[in-house]
Amino acid sequence: MLTLTVTWNQAPLNLYKRGSYFLTGTVTLPSGILNPENLNSTLEVGVLAKPAPQDVILSNNDFDPDPKNYFQVIGNFTVIDPIDKEHTITLVPGAGDNQYFEVKEDILFWSSAEEVSGKTQFTVVIRVTDRDGNVIEKSFTINRGRTDITELEIFNSFTPNGDGINDTWGVPDLRYFRGVRVQVFDRNGERLFYTEDADTRWDGTYKGKEMPVSTYFWVVEVIETGNVRRGILTILKN
């Protein structure tokens, strides 16, 4: 009986995906034994199904919105799987509030310019797929913070001089509240500006006329919470 050494080409073999794999091998022949027909060895390897991933966890589920940034990092996903370290993580299409989020390189992002006024909790549904085709899905609650109206930073001056810097005035953080009113009055109580859209800003004009350098008064209301704030606003022109 002659025992020969075979070097197997394992490139076709995927130990993380079930199925049958056919390997070819090169036989190392001792001196004096020839292989004129260049015969190779073949081997069928069966890979059994692996267990599905055990769980997926998210490093953080709270974030504070930024009205100037519609693409914000929330947290990283980690898959618990003692066998396989490579997985595909995606949002389940049409599930929960997934339309406002995005997953890239296992990181969850807020990815929407929509303010979704009045909503502070969102549900995302994640799908994890391993290399064997096993799938698990899991829901996460994402909490979006917002600053109370009593603590919102509201600037008390602006310079509508057309230089592209600080030319308008507004309260963009109100976009996360449902039902808002922003008003500006002059010293005589005449209303110069009114909006129910937190993204609409005052350009310092009234009926097409530029308002002079002076002090004005603003009133901000949030119907959702019943809060009202008042303050002074100064128009400056450099």
Side-chain angles (χ1 to χ4, degrees):
M1 181 177 178
L2 183 63
T3 301
L4 302 176
T5 301
V6 179
T7 303
W8 297 103
N9 175 19
Q10 299 185 36
L13 181 62
N14 185 347
L15 296 176
Y16 299 99
K17 184 175 178 59
R18 71 190 75 183
S20 296
Y21 299 86
F22 294 88
L23 310 183
T24 58
T26 301
V27 180
T28 302
L29 297 175
S31 178
I33 297 179
L34 303 177
N35 183 10
E37 298 183 8
N38 293 318
L39 298 177
N40 290 317
S41 300
T42 59
L43 176 67
E44 180 180 0
V45 177
V47 176
L48 302 178
K50 67 172 286 292
Q54 297 175 351
D55 197 6
V56 55
I57 58 177
L58 180 61
S59 63
N60 176 65
N61 67 338
D62 301 310
F63 77 107
D64 292 321
D66 181 354
K68 297 180 181 179
N69 180 13
Y70 303 138
F71 197 71
Q72 296 180 249
V73 174
I74 297 174
N76 295 66
F77 288 109
T78 300
V79 178
I80 308 302
D81 187 340
I83 296 176
D84 194 358
K85 301 303 180 184
E86 293 185 22
H87 306 85
T88 301
I89 302 176
T90 58
L91 292 162
V92 177
D97 299 305
N98 285 359
Q99 68 268 31
Y100 304 119
F101 298 86
E102 187 172 340
V103 174
K104 284 189 172 183
E105 297 180 352
D106 300 346
I107 301 172
L108 180 66
F109 294 87
W110 171 268
S111 179
S112 176
E114 296 184 46
E115 62 268 22
V116 200
S117 300
K119 192 173 177 67
T120 57
Q121 281 195 338
F122 301 83
T123 299
V124 296
V125 184
I126 299 300
R127 177 178 294 154
V128 177
T129 307
D130 67 12
R131 287 183 280 181
D132 194 30
N134 294 304
V135 173
I136 63 170
E137 293 184 359
K138 186 175 179 180
S139 297
F140 295 87
T141 298
I142 307 301
N143 302 305
R144 182 175 70 175
R146 61 182 182 181
T147 303
D148 188 271
I149 181 178
T150 60
E151 299 177 359
L152 282 181
E153 182 177 21
I154 301 179
F155 293 101
N156 58 12
S157 67
F158 71 117
T159 56
N161 55 13
D163 66 355
I165 302 174
N166 199 31
D167 279 334
T168 60
W169 175 88
V171 192
D173 283 323
L174 288 174
R175 73 196 314 263
Y176 307 111
F177 294 87
R178 186 174 58 254
V180 300
R181 298 190 185 105
V182 181
Q183 304 178 78
V184 177
F185 300 87
D186 66 12
R187 291 175 178 269
N188 299 319
E190 183 169 8
R191 189 169 71 183
L192 308 179
F193 174 72
Y194 174 80
T195 184
E196 296 180 6
D197 180 359
D199 292 325
T200 299
R201 302 173 66 86
W202 187 38
D203 62 1
T205 66
Y206 177 57
K207 294 183 178 180
K209 179 182 177 181
E210 293 184 2
M211 293 293 97
V213 171
S214 184
T215 298
Y216 300 86
F217 305 92
W218 56 260
V219 178
V220 170
E221 301 175 74
V222 176
I223 299 172
E224 179 188 341
T225 63
N227 290 108
V228 179
R229 277 185 64 181
R230 295 175 173 85
I232 296 175
L233 175 64
T234 302
I235 287 182
L236 305 172
K237 294 193 178 178
N238 299 331

